[in-house]
Amino acid sequence: MSEKRELILAFESSCDETSVAVIEDGHVILSNIIATQIKSHQRFGGVVPEVASRHHVEQITVCTQAALEEAGITYADLTAVAVTYGPGLVGALLIGVTAAKAIAYAHHLPLIPVNHMAGHIYAARFVKPLEYPLLALLVSGGHTELVYMPAAGEFEIIGDTRDDAAGEAYDKIGRVLGIQYPAGKEIDRLAHLGQDTFKFPRAMLKEDNLDFSFSGLKSAFINTVHHADQIGETLNHEDLAASFQASVVEVLTTKTMHAARQLNVRQLVVAGGVAANQGLREGLATAIKASGMDLDLIMPPLRLCGDNGAMIGAAAHIELQKQQFADLSLNAVPGLDFPYGA
C-alpha cells in the first residue's frame, strides 16, 4: 500500500493579495492561486485596510475552489490546512484565518499557523533544499531584517530597520516622482537607465551593528527634489532613481555580507517583495563573487517574491513535522515578529 501524500492547503491574506495554494511535501506546487488587488488600491496611493478586507471576503472561496481544482484533489485528500496569522493587516488576516479554521473544523484536519515572514523565507525552498545554519535578508514594504536560522523553523532577528523599511522608502519616493503605487518595479527600471550622480547618504554603514535606516535617505531624496522644484530646476528622474537605489543596495549588501562573514553560513536567502529588485539581486551576486566566500545565494523566482499561498505551504511543512498545530481559538496577530537574537 502506497504512503499517503502530504498535501497542505495554504491560505495567505495578510495584505492585498488573496492567495490559496496546494503544496505537496513542502516543495512541490500543485496550485498557487493569487487574486491581486493592486488596481483597487492604486488610486489611494497605498493599501486601504477596509478595501483589502472586502476583497478578501469576495475572493477567498473562489480562490480555494480554484486551488483544489487546479491541484486535482478534494478536501478528503488533504493532510492539513495552513494559514498566515501575522504579521499584516488585522482585518485582512482574519479572513484567511476564519476560512482556514472553518475548513479544518469541517474536514477534521490539523490547523497550522504560519508566520508570514517565515513564508517569505521558505519561498526559497522551491529553488533548492535549505541548509542550516543560514542567513536570510528579508526585504519588503513593512520589513527589512537580517534573520539567522540555526535550524529548520528557528528564527532570530540579528539586524532590523530603525525606521522605514526599504520597500516603504521606495513607495514614498515614488510618490515624489509621480510613480503609481507600488513604485518599486518602476524605480528599479529607471535606476538601470541612470547614474548615481546625487551620492545620497548611506546610513549606519560604518556603525558596528547589523541594523538599517532608510529615513535619512528618503528625506535627502525628497529635499533634493523639492529644492530643485523651488528654483525651477529639472532633475533627471533616471539619475534620481539610480542614486536612490545605489544607496539602498549598498547598505543592504554591505550589512548582509558583514553578517554572513560573522556567522560563517553557507546559504544566503533573499526574501520578500523587494527581493524581486534586479539591482539588489545583481548587487548581492557581485558582492559574493568579489568576497571569495563559499556562500550560496538563493533567491525565489519573481512570481514567489510577492505574497502567495505557496510560500505559506512550504513553511507549514516544517511546522507539520514539528506537530505545531493551533486550535480553533487561533486569532490574527498583526504585530507578530520573530524573536530577537541575543
Side-chain angles (χ1 to χ4, degrees):
M1 188 174 161
S2 63
E3 199 175 313
K4 193 170 188 280
R5 299 159 76 192
E6 182 199 292
L7 298 172
I8 295 176
L9 180 68
F11 289 85
E12 159 57 37
S13 68
S14 65
C15 192
D16 61 342
E17 259 95 21
T18 312
S19 184
V20 185
V22 177
I23 303 302
E24 185 169 7
D25 296 330
H27 65 97
V28 180
I29 301 174
L30 299 185
S31 62
N32 188 27
I33 308 300
I34 303 171
T36 185
Q37 308 174 8
I38 284 177
K39 287 195 174 3
S40 296
H41 297 284
Q42 272 178 341
R43 66 183 184 275
F44 304 113
V47 178
V48 179
E50 176 65 16
V51 174
S53 299
R54 287 173 184 269
H55 275 292
H56 288 309
V57 170
E58 292 167 7
Q59 295 291 338
I60 199 94
T61 51
V62 178
C63 290
T64 303
Q65 200 54 44
L68 291 169
E69 285 174 8
E70 190 173 302
I73 64 163
T74 67
Y75 288 116
D77 299 312
L78 293 172
T79 309
V81 180
V83 63
T84 299
Y85 74 111
L89 303 171
V90 65
L93 288 164
L94 280 168
I95 312 303
V97 167
T98 304
K101 287 201 290 191
I103 290 169
Y105 176 74
H107 299 280
H108 310 288
L109 292 164
L111 178 65
I112 304 172
V114 175
N115 183 316
H116 176 74
M117 306 316 292
H120 275 304
I121 294 172
Y122 274 98
R125 185 60 190 84
F126 296 114
V127 179
K128 62 165 64 172
L130 301 184
E131 296 172 18
Y132 307 96
L134 65 78
L135 176 66
L137 171 64
L138 265 173
V139 271
S140 68
H143 294 77
T144 300
E145 298 170 348
L146 281 166
V147 179
Y148 176 60
M149 291 185 64
E154 294 181 19
F155 309 89
E156 293 172 24
I157 295 176
I158 57 169
D160 200 356
T161 181
R162 303 276 180 91
D163 39 61
D164 289 354
E168 200 178 354
Y170 270 90
D171 286 330
K172 285 178 178 175
I173 70 123
R175 276 185 215 133
V176 177
L177 295 179
I179 296 171
Q180 263 195 327
Y181 169 87
K185 188 175 180 182
E186 177 61 9
I187 291 168
D188 188 22
R189 186 189 72 80
L190 289 171
H192 280 80
L193 302 173
Q195 302 293 323
D196 178 14
T197 56
F198 291 94
K199 304 296 176 191
F200 289 126
R202 272 73 164 152
M204 302 181 69
L205 212 52
K206 303 279 191 285
E207 293 188 26
D208 189 24
N209 59 47
L210 298 171
D211 288 344
F212 306 95
S213 170
F214 297 105
S215 182
L217 166 62
K218 176 198 68 184
S219 298
F221 183 98
I222 292 170
N223 291 340
T224 299
V225 174
H226 283 174
H227 177 69
D229 287 346
Q230 285 168 345
I231 62 172
E233 185 184 348
T234 303
L235 300 179
N236 183 305
H237 280 200
E238 293 168 354
D239 289 346
L240 279 168
S243 301
F244 172 81
Q245 182 150 297
S247 175
V248 172
V249 169
E250 186 178 340
V251 170
L252 290 174
T253 301
T254 303
K255 294 272 187 177
T256 302
M257 293 303 293
H258 187 48
R261 276 191 205 91
Q262 275 185 358
L263 297 165
N264 197 26
V265 291
R266 296 290 301 276
Q267 283 187 337
L268 169 62
V269 172
V270 186
V274 184
N277 183 284
Q278 292 301 321
L280 178 59
R281 286 174 169 244
E282 292 159 9
L284 282 166
T286 301
I288 290 170
K289 195 172 180 183
S291 74
M293 290 171 68
D294 182 18
L295 187 59
D296 187 11
L297 177 62
I298 309 175
M299 296 178 282
L302 298 185
R303 66 193 168 84
L304 296 179
C305 287
D307 295 347
N308 64 88
M311 70 185 197
I312 303 305
H317 168 73
I318 302 298
E319 300 303 305
L320 177 62
Q321 290 176 325
K322 295 181 166 191
Q323 302 282 290
Q324 298 284 356
F325 303 132
D327 60 26
L328 295 178
S329 68
L330 180 67
N331 204 350
V333 183
L336 185 68
D337 214 340
F338 294 137
Y340 282 79

